[in-house]
Amino acid sequence: SLMASQQDRIGRGNMDEAFQAEMEAAQARAKAMQKRKEAIDEEQRKTEHELLEKQEMLQKTQVLAEEAALTLQAMMAENQNQRAGLAQLAEEKESIASEAALYREQAAASLLEKEALEQEVVEVAKELEAKKEELEMELQAKREELVSVREGLENELQERREELDSVKRLSD
């Protein structure tokens, strides 16, 4: 019975170690996901900053294009070179506009990835909580089992003492 209680203690220790290792692994996964989320947040901030710069460039280019268009209207009859300049500005404006659209798409994709990671972190936390509850229930069952075994042993010991007392009384 001494060996059985030692084995129970060892079993409990192994269960506690396994639970601890599982908790640490889950915490490491959660930490890695958090770092990835922070990296995505940083990338998104950079992308948004670049997008703002591109939008400013686009606005400046639009202003330039509008000024050139007004000048061109006044001088169109005598100066064909200004038409070429306006066409070039329009191309630049188009190029900047499509680049800005690309940055917007990248920012949206980063946001979706960030949201997916946040959801994954929530799921892992739920799994951890469920596993923790399951292990706590197992631990409680083991404790109850040990209490029951101990009570049985105490009862048996009491019976042996009583038998010994009655044998002593008979021998006296």
Side-chain angles (χ1 to χ4, degrees), residues 66-77 82 86:
E66 288 163 8
E67 289 172 0
L70 291 173
T71 304
L72 185 62
Q73 285 172 352
M75 304 176 80
M76 198 178 275
Q82 285 190 349
L86 180 61

Side-chain angles (χ1 to χ4, degrees), residues 58-143:
L58 177 61
Q59 287 172 345
K60 288 176 184 175
T61 304
Q62 285 173 323
V63 169
L64 286 174
E66 288 163 8
E67 289 172 0
L70 291 173
T71 304
L72 185 62
Q73 285 172 352
M75 304 176 80
M76 198 178 275
E78 61 225 39
N79 195 339
Q80 292 251 301
N81 283 339
Q82 285 190 349
R83 281 189 200 163
L86 180 61
Q88 186 178 353
L89 281 175
E91 274 178 34
E92 284 178 29
K93 174 184 165 184
E94 192 61 40
S95 169
I96 289 171
S98 53
E99 210 173 320
L102 180 67
Y103 279 111
R104 271 191 225 98
E105 287 172 20
Q106 289 172 348
S110 291
L111 184 61
L112 288 175
E113 190 176 346
K114 173 186 158 189
E115 288 170 357
L117 278 173
E118 287 171 346
Q119 185 59 38
E120 199 174 331
V121 167
V122 167
E123 293 302 320
V124 167
K126 284 180 187 173
E127 288 174 26
L128 278 176
E129 189 58 34
K131 188 66 178 172
K132 178 182 163 196
E133 287 172 12
E134 180 187 326
L135 288 172
E136 284 171 351
M137 283 172 20
E138 286 178 28
L139 187 59
Q140 184 60 32
K142 289 286 184 194
R143 284 185 183 132

Side-chain angles (χ1 to χ4, degrees), residues 4-62:
S5 73
Q6 284 178 336
Q7 286 176 343
D8 282 343
R9 223 175 300 126
I10 290 168
R12 201 172 337 115
N14 289 343
M15 190 167 64
D16 288 349
E17 286 173 15
F19 176 73
Q20 187 65 33
E22 231 178 284
M23 288 294 285
E24 287 170 3
Q27 287 170 348
R29 284 199 310 271
K31 219 178 266 184
M33 281 187 252
Q34 184 63 32
K35 281 187 180 174
R36 178 72 180 126
K37 178 184 164 302
E38 288 167 5
I40 289 172
D41 286 348
E42 183 58 29
E43 189 61 37
Q44 187 177 2
R45 278 193 288 279
K46 286 182 190 173
T47 303
E48 287 169 352
H49 180 70
E50 289 171 359
L51 179 60
L52 286 175
E53 288 178 351
K54 296 294 179 185
Q55 286 172 336
E56 286 174 13
M57 284 174 59
L58 177 61
Q59 287 172 345
K60 288 176 184 175
T61 304
Q62 285 173 323

